[in-house]
Amino acid sequence: MTNSARRTVFLRGRSGLRGIGLIDVLLAVVVLGLGAAGLVKFQSVVMREGNSAKARSVAVQMAKAKLDDLRSYSQLDAGTTGVFGYDELGPTTAAVNANVGGAEKADGTLELPTGSVTVGAVAYTRTWTNTRYYLCSDNTAATSTNCTPAKSRPDFYALAVTVAWSDVDGNRQVVMNDTAAADDPFTGAQGLASAASGTAPKVTYVPGEAPNVIAIDVGGGQKKETTNPTPTLRRHGNTVKNTVATYETIRYNASTDTITRQQFVTLNCSCTQLGTGTGKNLLGEQVQKNTGEPSDQFQAFECTICCRDHHDEPTCDPSTDTGRKNCFDPYRPASDYLYDGVTGDVIDHKHYTANQQLANSTGDDYVESCRLVRSDGYLLVAQDWRMLAINAIPSSFFGTGGVANATNITNYGTYVKDYVAAVISGGTAPSTIWSTSETVNQGATNQLLARGIYLDYLDDATKTTYSGRISANDATVWQEVPFYEVNLTKLAQWVSGNNSVATVSNDALVTETAGQDLYSRGLVLAKAAGTTAATARARVSNTGVINEFITTDPDDGGINKTSSVSITVPGASYTLSGSISGLPSGAVVTITGTGSGGSSNVLCSYSSGAATFSCSVPSGWSGVITASAPGYTFTPGSLALSNVTADSSSFSLVAAAVVSVNYTISGTVSPTVAGVVFTASGSGSNSAGTCTYTDASGAYSCTVPNGWSGSVIPALSGYAFTPGSYSFNNVTSDQTADFSASTTTSNDYTISGTIGAAPTLSAVTMSATGSSAGTCTYDAATGAYSCVVPSGWTGSVMPTSDQGIIFAPSAYNFTSGVSGNIPSQNFSTSYTMYGLISQSSGVPISGITITAGGSGGSANGTCAYDGTTGYYSCVVDGLWYGSIIPSLSGYTFSPSTRSYANVTSTFPSENYTAIAQTSATYTVTITITNLSNSGASGATVQSVNGLSCGNPATSGSGNNRTAVIACTVPAGWNGTVTPLVPVNGNQTATFTPASQSYSNVGINHTQSFSCSGNGC
Amino acid sequence: MALAIALLIVVVTTVVTVGVSQIGVGEQKNMANEMRNQEASAAADAGIARGIMYLSKNASQIRQSAGSGWMNVASTPHWTACTNGSTALPCGDGTANQFDSNWTAYSNVPNLFSVSDPLNGRVTVYFVARNGTAGSSLPGRTVFYILARGTSIDGSGTVLAKQAYSFAPFLARTPDAPLIAAGTIATTGALNVVANPNGGGSGVPLSSWSNGNTNLAGSMQTCHIEEFLSTDSTYSYQSDADGNTVTLCPACACPNNASLQLSSSGVEGIDILDVDSNAGVNPDSTSFPADVFQYVFGIPESDYQKVKDKAKLISDCSTLGPTSSGLYWHPTGTGNCQMPANINIGSVAAPVLLVVEDTEFRMNNNGAFFGLIFAFSRTATATVSIQGGPTLYGSLISNQNINLGNGNYNARYDAIVLENLAKSLDNGGMYAVPGSWTDY
């Protein structure tokens, strides 16, 4: 309908149907009114429900906020004010706590407390409960009663938050539930922290000393060294069953903290083939392979491992570079393996008897040598040793007189690394850096060392990696390269090319422990003029380390490495002598003989009375003899000689005095001080100059000869001068030197001396105590100490050591005030050996005599023994050589003696076990006098356990006969000897004494008894 | 006509009003849904909170195959490996797979809600753990998911949430030596100590580490395990679930041969690290921890209660036995801690960490103790008294002195036992893996 048409209808009605229109309107009004009322009612319901929903939503949010708040504890313990802790959810022990807990404001009140909160004209009331729950044992339900024993806090709280409000429909509420668990927020922090925190122990390493142990720089401030190998001979009875060499390679950092220790045990064993069984491979894993066992029960226990495990298995493939990595001896020829006929895999390497016969069948005896390495406390058979080189080096190269030569040691370390690098990279080995020819005078000795360089097998890929790092100057690669520098001196075999020129010691191995030196090897002793070679020889593999020249493996057999030092022994000596004219009587002349062309310097002397000189030179000597005296020149200037082979006494020198020209050294002292004393002390052979000093002006003047060398020194008590002195060398003109003076409040003086003899003690504390404490220093390198004390000081200077060292004297005491430097206050050292001497039962024995007999020039030590405790002690000088021997009749001791060489420390626990000599017997001779014939022939001794008596030997006549009965008793016998004679009827025979008792018999005894009574 | 118009107006007005009111009704529905979701979400959170406590409490059961252990298929429930593609809870979320065969599940964790609890019946909790090998039901020790499905009060709203947890390390550090004391160590009995072969670094053996003097007296010696086991051949063996085996030898001792020992009475070898003016081979220790409690547990001694809270408190140590495992704490004021006679305590697989607070630890038997004994002197002196011939496989630590009296005692450092202790799930405490909470 269009708008115009609608308008037409309306107008028509309005003009034609007026009554109906009114009713129509009234009805419309009613309908509209009802409709409006209905809509208003509907709308109000809708609005009320909307408000209710909104209120409920607010309440849910409030409840949820409080639940989150109750779970927001930052710790389990109840917190301080402002800190919310889990325990605050249940401050009382009641099962349910209400309206407690939640985040706190700074004043401790809750951020979301209980009570009424008005949001959007609606008042909400918030309350909550926290209900305790406990988990008491495994797999059981949570309970609201506490466990036994009671837990300090529940495992969780069941939380229920109620938010209530009112509206036109009455009271409404929302309840929400959650849980707060005793899940420590701290644990989270702990768990996220590094699990490897905590302090690791640091074990400080005491580096070994040259020349036995040489530390090699392996980069990163670290060093690596191998301890001195100590051989142990394992015996059964008198038979040496095994030779065992033990040493460790230690790597340590600049602070000498130990980083790694590798312990190696190398030994030989006699084994028996067992066939297939379970053994360990190179990695320590249990595998099925050929095995063996020690061929008898007297082998070292390590042989169980060696015999069982030193058998190859299929992972070893001698034909490939990487396959060799899995072989016990990667250098063994491929022909020396047993192969599976079907698979071609390695079954084992071949084994041999000591006579080179194959021994590969079950039950066969064979010889084996193994290198064992310590891994996680176990000993594993490692790949065999492989020596790259052995070097014979004079011990003096690494230092002399107990002073290490640091430069040579460093250079030697570089040499070793260069050698290893050359092998890894295929380069040229470096040249030796030590003397390979030594001159040793007749009767003199020269210790040589044999040092081995070893390298474990590296496959080509590893070699390439190392090679690259070495050429890139990555010093830390040496921490990884498995090389070892081992002192083989006492394990290698030594021979001399000509024993009549010089011998080289090659003593049989004996068991040594660390620090002992019980046999000698490599010591050259010059015998007669000539030249020879001292050669060290060792096998490249395991047997080289244990001085064994039995061929255990084919590749081991032929390969010895040797190294020699040429030894020249000069011949007999000749005397070169002559006269010197033109010198005043008493002139001091120095004659020097300087060797050339390999000849050594020689000693010369001058006799001022006869004005003759003499030099003793070895046969073949070449060199120059020169005379010198201050103020004189000599013609000829020197005597040149070559290849001396005879005495010569025809030399003649003419001395001419140098025209004396004096020069003046002068200057002033400022400020001017009266009484200064100047000295011009000559150095060396220079004489002292003459000095004057003028108090008023402070000027001094010293006159010295031409060419003078020395020092000009002012001195005045209570004053110090700057400089303390002026030194001059070869004065050839007048010199000027000024000093400034200053007063010193007091003078300090130095008390000095030395402690012990070389080698010096490493740790001594010097103290100077008395009127004041002095300042002391001790130099471990020289053994010298000095203590600076003030003038007038009284007190004692005393060394102390925590190493059991005894000093003589114990202290130097200064009772009158020190007024000058006091040198030469020397202390000597002595050391104590002590320990327990006991029977195997542990019971000490009285009466033991213990002696410490010195040898090789060492004095006897002083020993004491305490029979009640069983402890003895012997005090010996430093560097003592000798033996300590306990003795007691009737006892032997184990060990019977202990030998010491070059004692430089105290030896505790040097224990002995006393063993009673059960086989020793002693004789107790009984003499009975005043006997009749029958009494004498029937005399006996009452039988006592342990007493064994013979028949009486009678002598004398009538009733004055004597019977002598010899009885034997065991050592240590205790008992009573009672004589008896045959007595008939009521006869009596008594003896004086009646009997004789003995205890702990250790010597022969005699005893007489006199018989009285008619039964005698 | 007017009526028609009025009706029309009423109809139009009604339609408009009803239409407008529908918006309000929809808003109410949303609010109701939101509330159900909040209820369900809170219920799921409660499930996770209780689940973590239950998992932590039952840690010793998690990998246990015997009795009520969760690896025992006779138990209900027990761990069951998830399968690839499984969509059912907990391996899936109902429609898609969430955890494949690299995971194992412990379904429908019981015992968390009592009948009276408003959440009872509204929460289901599951545990899901990474397993060691695909398809295995044995849970590893790394990550544990706790899944909880919460429903609203009317049951119409459901929320599924999960949170990953890990066990905090049980020990801050595997002990470095079989004997560790902050004070002195004195031995007088017949004691054999097997050193930790790598205590001070690779190959650097340690038998004792003390901040005072270790005085070796009596008939004692220390050695490596190889030499120790060489003195007798009566062995027995114990293994753990990971296949590591420890050789037990009650009759073994260190050899009576100086060259096979590390140290002996009066002779301090390289395995004795103590403080005694540099006596013996090693110079004095400079690295001893200032707080031994922290050295063991990783938290300062002042917070010792946190460890005690996690421990099983025992007033009678004789209740310990071969099946004991994890952290036990013998508190002060409950008399001496007397070990039971002639039975083992703990095992290689499940060792024991026993803290003896302020009292005496007494072991007078021929049994073995697997794990760590910590003599904890807090306010009084905790001492150690050992008689008979027991063997300790592990470590003995004191934050004061250790005086080992008469007895024929073997202290064997055993890395396998101590590592199993360090990895032990039992009472190590759990922590949420940050960022791992999700709902889906």
Side-chain angles (χ1 to χ4, degrees):
Chain A
M1 195 187 292
T2 64
N3 284 345
S4 61
R6 205 180 284 141
R7 197 181 303 123
T8 305
V9 171
F10 181 76
L11 290 174
R12 194 184 297 134
R14 200 178 169 190
S15 61
L17 297 165
R18 286 178 190 249
I20 293 168
L22 183 61
I23 293 166
D24 202 14
V25 168
L26 285 173
L27 278 173
V29 167
V30 170
V31 167
L32 278 174
L34 286 174
L39 284 174
V40 166
K41 177 67 178 175
F42 175 75
Q43 192 63 28
S44 76
V45 169
V46 167
M47 285 180 66
R48 202 171 71 220
E49 284 303 312
N51 286 339
S52 173
K54 194 180 289 177
R56 182 175 295 273
S57 174
V58 169
V60 166
Q61 296 299 339
M62 286 177 69
K64 186 76 165 73
K66 187 61 203 179
L67 284 178
D68 287 344
D69 179 48
L70 288 171
R71 285 156 55 98
S72 70
Y73 44 89
S74 60
Q75 59 187 51
L76 291 182
D77 291 333
T80 53
T81 303
V83 177
F84 170 38
Y86 175 80
D87 286 350
E88 292 175 53
L89 292 171
T92 75
T93 55
V96 180
N97 278 270
N99 303 326
V100 287
E104 298 168 17
K105 296 177 183 171
D107 64 358
T109 57
L110 296 180
E111 293 272 10
L112 300 175
T114 184
S116 179
V117 178
T118 302
V119 178
V122 179
Y124 298 91
T125 306
R126 177 168 51 205
T127 58
W128 66 90
T129 60
N130 312 328
T131 307
R132 292 167 179 273
Y133 279 95
Y134 298 89
L135 292 164
C136 292
S137 42
D138 290 351
N139 290 317
T140 51
T143 161
S144 55
T145 49
N146 203 343
C147 314
T148 307
K151 288 190 171 186
S152 63
R153 61 170 59 95
D155 290 300
F156 56 84
Y157 285 97
L159 309 175
V161 177
T162 305
V163 176
W165 74 98
S166 297
D167 61 15
V168 290
D169 295 327
N171 295 330
R172 292 168 176 269
Q173 68 173 30
V174 165
V175 180
M176 292 195 70
N177 300 95
D178 204 335
T179 297
D183 174 24
D184 191 353
F186 177 87
T187 308
Q190 183 195 359
L192 295 173
S194 166
S197 56
T199 321
K202 283 183 191 165
V203 181
T204 307
Y205 177 65
V206 183
E209 290 182 0
N212 283 336
V213 178
I214 302 297
I216 294 175
D217 190 331
V218 290
Q222 297 185 6
K223 289 185 172 178
K224 169 170 160 174
E225 66 183 41
T226 300
T227 58
N228 214 25
T230 53
T232 303
L233 305 184
R234 299 266 167 78
R235 294 170 192 273
H236 175 63
N238 289 326
T239 309
V240 175
K241 301 298 269 187
N242 313 99
T243 304
V244 186
T246 307
Y247 44 92
E248 292 184 274
T249 297
I250 293 129
R251 189 151 58 84
Y252 53 96
N253 65 14
S255 315
T256 66
D257 294 330
T258 317
I259 298 170
T260 62
R261 281 189 106 103
Q262 280 179 290
Q263 187 192 10
F264 299 111
V265 177
T266 309
L267 79 168
N268 53 5
C269 297
S270 295
C271 310
T272 304
Q273 295 279 16
L274 271 184
T276 306
T278 304
K280 289 183 179 176
N281 62 13
L282 278 168
L283 302 174
E285 300 161 342
Q286 301 270 13
V287 293
Q288 289 293 308
K289 62 173 185 179
N290 271 9
T291 61
E293 64 180 357
S295 57
D296 61 61
Q297 58 178 311
F298 307 116
Q299 305 277 316
F301 100 93
E302 294 96 333
C303 285
T304 311
I305 304 161
C306 175
C307 296
R308 183 190 66 207
D309 294 342
H310 198 284
H311 295 268
D312 283 307
E313 30 111 23
T315 57
C316 160
D317 180 359
S319 64
T320 66
D321 164 56
T322 50
R324 280 195 288 273
K325 239 182 5 180
N326 301 322
C327 303
F328 279 99
D329 182 358
Y331 299 94
R332 185 185 294 271
S335 59
D336 199 39
Y337 286 87
L338 303 172
Y339 296 93
D340 186 303
V342 177
T343 63
D345 286 342
V346 165
I347 297 172
D348 197 350
H349 61 256
K350 292 180 183 169
H351 290 84
Y352 299 89
T353 67
N355 297 325
Q356 296 297 291
Q357 301 303 305
L358 280 171
N360 293 320
S361 304
T362 302
D364 284 355
D365 287 343
Y366 63 97
V367 289
E368 187 62 279
S369 71
C370 292
R371 167 204 189 190
L372 307 179
V373 62
R374 181 77 62 181
S375 171
D376 290 339
Y378 291 94
L379 288 170
L380 300 181
V381 179
Q383 271 184 341
D384 293 354
W385 288 108
R386 189 71 181 181
M387 184 165 69
L388 303 181
I390 189 170
N391 287 310
I393 305 174
S395 175
S396 57
F397 176 75
F398 294 110
T400 51
V403 181
N405 186 327
T407 307
N408 282 354
I409 289 171
T410 304
N411 291 343
Y412 177 72
T414 306
Y415 166 85
V416 170
K417 287 183 286 184
D418 287 350
Y419 201 105
V420 174
V423 170
I424 291 175
S425 313
T428 311
S431 304
T432 56
I433 55 169
W434 53 87
S435 159
T436 54
S437 90
E438 292 277 290
T439 299
V440 187
N441 288 329
Q442 288 180 24
T445 59
N446 190 334
Q447 177 69 53
L448 303 180
L449 304 178
R451 309 205 68 100
I453 303 173
Y454 289 85
L455 179 66
D456 288 348
Y457 182 78
L458 302 173
D459 59 22
D460 291 343
T462 312
K463 277 184 180 173
T464 305
T465 306
Y466 285 156
S467 188
R469 290 177 62 186
I470 292 168
S471 55
N473 290 323
D474 176 2
T476 56
V477 70
W478 295 106
Q479 295 173 11
E480 298 166 34
V481 175
F483 76 99
Y484 310 93
E485 197 280 335
V486 184
N487 181 10
L488 295 175
T489 308
K490 298 182 83 169
L491 300 174
Q493 190 183 52
W494 290 89
V495 290
S496 167
N498 186 342
N499 277 323
S500 58
V501 174
T503 59
V504 190
S505 64
N506 193 43
D507 292 354
L509 263 60
V510 300
T511 298
E512 276 187 354
T513 57
Q516 286 187 322
D517 186 19
L518 303 180
Y519 69 98
S520 168
R521 287 199 170 200
L523 184 68
V524 173
L525 172 61
K527 296 280 198 185
T531 302
T532 184
T535 303
R537 183 168 80 111
R539 302 219 154 161
V540 295
S541 188
N542 294 344
T543 50
V545 183
I546 47 178
N547 189 244
E548 194 188 44
F549 287 88
I550 297 170
T551 304
T552 306
D553 300 323
D555 68 317
D556 215 15
I559 308 177
N560 294 314
K561 296 248 183 206
T562 60
S563 176
S564 301
V565 172
S566 169
I567 305 293
T568 300
V569 182
S573 62
Y574 297 103
T575 303
L576 305 177
S577 59
S579 61
I580 300 177
S581 60
L583 284 172
S585 172
V588 176
V589 180
T590 305
I591 312 288
T592 57
T594 309
S596 63
S599 295
S600 55
N601 295 342
V602 295
L603 283 177
C604 296
S605 62
Y606 173 72
S607 164
S608 68
T612 57
F613 72 90
S614 165
C615 297
S616 176
V617 303
S619 174
W621 188 79
S622 299
V624 174
I625 294 174
T626 322
S628 66
Y632 289 89
T633 59
F634 293 85
T635 306
S638 61
L639 303 167
L641 297 136
S642 71
N643 196 18
V644 175
T645 55
D647 291 343
S648 175
S649 59
S650 59
F651 298 104
S652 172
L653 296 173
V654 178
V658 176
V659 176
S660 174
V661 178
N662 289 337
Y663 294 103
T664 304
I665 300 170
S666 61
T668 58
V669 174
S670 61
T672 304
V673 181
V676 181
V677 176
F678 272 84
T679 53
S681 70
S683 61
S685 60
N686 286 283
S687 57
T690 312
C691 296
T692 59
Y693 179 71
T694 309
D695 286 351
S697 64
Y700 76 94
S701 170
C702 295
T703 303
V704 299
N706 181 24
W708 184 82
S709 295
S711 301
V712 173
I713 307 162
L716 178 62
S717 179
Y719 286 88
F721 296 89
T722 307
S725 67
Y726 275 105
S727 294
F728 299 90
N729 190 32
N730 192 20
V731 172
T732 54
S733 62
D734 289 345
Q735 304 285 323
T736 306
D738 294 337
F739 293 89
S740 61
S742 59
T743 55
T744 55
T745 49
S746 80
N747 287 331
D748 286 342
Y749 296 109
T750 302
I751 300 168
S752 60
T754 58
I755 302 177
T760 55
L761 302 171
S762 58
V764 175
T765 304
M766 286 300 306
S767 60
T769 53
S771 52
S772 64
T775 307
C776 294
T777 59
Y778 171 71
D779 181 358
T782 63
Y785 79 89
S786 67
C787 293
V788 177
V789 298
S791 175
W793 181 82
T794 58
S796 301
V797 174
M798 178 189 290
T800 52
S801 162
D802 55 19
Q803 295 170 343
I805 298 163
I806 298 167
F807 298 92
S810 59
Y812 283 103
N813 298 319
F814 301 92
T815 50
S816 56
V818 171
S819 60
N821 293 337
I822 306 175
S824 302
Q825 302 296 292
N826 299 338
F827 293 92
S828 64
T829 55
S830 57
Y831 300 91
T832 307
M833 284 78 174
Y834 61 91
L836 179 65
I837 308 179
S838 63
Q839 300 183 71
S840 54
S841 61
V843 177
I845 313 158
S846 61
I848 293 174
T849 306
I850 184 147
T851 59
S855 63
S858 290
N860 290 346
T862 309
C863 295
Y865 174 72
D866 181 346
T868 56
T869 63
Y871 274 93
Y872 80 94
S873 65
C874 293
V875 178
V876 301
D877 294 339
L879 309 183
W880 187 74
Y881 282 79
S883 303
I884 293 185
I885 305 171
S887 61
L888 177 61
S889 182
Y891 286 89
T892 59
F893 293 86
S894 175
S896 60
T897 174
R898 287 180 188 273
S899 295
Y900 300 87
N902 208 17
V903 169
T904 55
S905 68
T906 291
F907 284 73
S909 301
E910 296 284 273
N911 299 342
Y912 294 87
T913 305
I915 303 149
Q917 278 178 285
T918 51
S919 60
T921 57
Y922 295 96
T923 307
V924 179
T925 308
I926 311 296
T927 305
I928 310 171
T929 56
N930 294 333
L931 294 175
S932 67
N933 187 25
S934 63
S937 60
T940 57
V941 175
Q942 186 175 337
S943 177
V944 178
N945 195 21
L947 188 66
S948 170
C949 298
N951 293 325
T954 60
S955 61
S957 57
N959 284 337
N960 202 15
R961 293 173 192 270
T962 299
V964 177
I965 304 171
C967 300
T968 56
V969 294
W973 186 75
N974 299 309
T976 302
V977 175
T978 309
L980 294 174
V981 292
V983 180
N984 297 320
N986 55 1
Q987 288 180 337
T988 61
T990 56
F991 296 93
T992 306
S995 62
Q996 177 66 39
S997 295
Y998 297 94
S999 66
N1000 195 18
V1001 170
I1003 57 169
N1004 295 334
H1005 292 273
T1006 59
Q1007 177 65 39
S1008 291
F1009 296 92
S1010 174
C1011 186
S1012 59
N1014 54 7
C1016 292
Chain B
M1 188 62 201
L3 180 61
I5 291 169
L7 284 172
L8 189 66
I9 290 169
V10 168
V11 167
V12 168
T13 313
T14 303
V15 167
V16 169
T17 305
V18 169
V20 167
S21 72
Q22 277 303 313
I23 296 170
V25 171
E27 198 175 331
Q28 286 183 45
K29 279 184 180 169
N30 282 344
M31 284 177 182
N33 284 342
E34 168 68 14
M35 185 176 148
R36 290 188 199 99
N37 178 268
Q38 293 282 12
E39 285 172 356
S41 171
D45 277 351
I48 289 177
R50 296 189 188 198
I52 176 63
M53 295 312 292
Y54 191 74
L55 186 62
S56 185
K57 168 66 198 167
N58 288 285
S60 63
Q61 303 294 325
I62 294 174
R63 285 163 59 89
Q64 177 68 255
S65 304
S68 56
W70 296 4
M71 277 305 295
N72 187 351
V73 292
S75 293
T76 308
H78 58 83
W79 290 102
T80 309
C82 287
T83 54
N84 292 333
S86 166
T87 57
L89 273 173
C91 299
D93 59 9
T95 55
N97 178 250
Q98 295 286 331
F99 296 100
D100 63 14
S101 63
N102 289 308
W103 299 83
T104 181
Y106 186 86
S107 299
N108 299 323
V109 177
N111 297 330
L112 295 178
F113 300 92
S114 60
V115 176
S116 59
D117 197 312
L119 290 171
N120 187 36
R122 286 174 49 202
V123 186
T124 315
V125 179
Y126 308 87
F127 300 141
V128 178
R130 189 89 188 170
N131 55 18
T133 48
S136 165
S137 60
L138 179 69
R141 291 168 154 137
T142 50
V143 176
F144 290 83
Y145 270 101
I146 296 169
L147 272 63
R149 187 178 62 183
T151 53
S152 60
I153 295 170
D154 64 2
S156 62
T158 299
V159 165
L160 191 57
K162 69 178 177 188
Q163 165 88 59
Y165 279 84
S166 267
F167 279 91
F170 189 69
L171 294 177
R173 186 176 175 79
T174 310
D176 293 289
L179 299 172
I180 297 175
T184 59
I185 297 176
T187 67
T188 51
L191 170 64
N192 290 284
V193 182
V194 176
N196 173 5
N198 302 309
S202 172
V204 184
L206 271 191
S207 290
S208 79
W209 186 22
S210 60
N211 207 25
N213 186 23
T214 293
N215 186 22
L216 308 178
S219 169
M220 79 84 62
Q221 47 256 319
T222 71
C223 60
H224 276 300
I225 184 69
E226 179 85 62
E227 281 79 355
F228 181 84
L229 292 178
S230 75
T231 53
D232 197 86
S233 55
T234 310
Y235 298 155
S236 58
Y237 303 92
Q238 263 200 27
S239 299
D240 61 18
D242 299 319
N244 300 307
T245 301
V246 173
T247 305
L248 312 184
C249 181
C252 284
C254 286
N256 188 21
N257 176 340
S259 71
L260 302 180
Q261 298 166 349
L262 289 165
S263 296
S264 59
S265 185
V267 181
E268 284 187 23
I270 58 172
D271 59 329
I272 306 296
L273 185 58
D274 62 351
V275 177
D276 55 0
S277 302
N278 300 321
V281 175
N282 289 328
D284 284 353
S285 170
T286 56
S287 50
F288 198 86
D291 183 342
V292 174
F293 193 89
Q294 186 163 26
Y295 169 81
V296 175
F297 294 104
I299 61 173
E301 184 179 330
S302 53
D303 285 334
Y304 79 96
Q305 185 67 43
K306 289 183 189 303
V307 175
K308 193 171 178 177
D309 287 344
K310 292 175 189 168
K312 301 181 233 323
L313 300 181
I314 46 166
S315 51
D316 181 2
C317 289
S318 67
T319 57
L320 292 171
T323 57
S324 302
S325 68
L327 175 61
Y328 292 85
W329 189 293
H330 181 257
T332 186
T334 51
N336 289 335
C337 178
Q338 171 91 41
M339 289 290 106
N342 300 333
I343 61 168
N344 292 353
I345 314 296
S347 62
V348 169
V352 167
L353 197 171
L354 174 62
V355 180
V356 181
E357 180 187 351
D358 289 344
T359 54
E360 182 166 272
F361 171 79
R362 283 180 164 273
M363 197 157 182
N364 184 3
N365 61 36
N366 293 314
F369 188 103
F370 295 90
L372 175 60
I373 300 160
F374 183 49
F376 179 38
S377 300
R378 202 171 64 77
T379 57
T381 303
T383 57
V384 176
S385 168
I386 292 173
Q387 292 175 9
T391 301
L392 167 64
Y393 295 85
S395 191
L396 171 60
I397 299 181
S398 167
N399 67 337
Q400 226 176 58
N401 302 330
I402 293 178
N403 292 302
L404 295 171
N406 296 327
N408 190 12
Y409 170 53
N410 287 343
R412 256 183 74 173
Y413 186 89
D414 196 292
I416 293 170
V417 171
L418 289 171
E419 276 163 24
N420 280 342
L421 184 63
K423 287 190 292 189
S424 170
L425 303 180
D426 199 358
N427 293 304
M430 299 191 77
Y431 64 94
V433 176
S436 65
W437 189 93
T438 50
D439 59 353
Y440 54 101

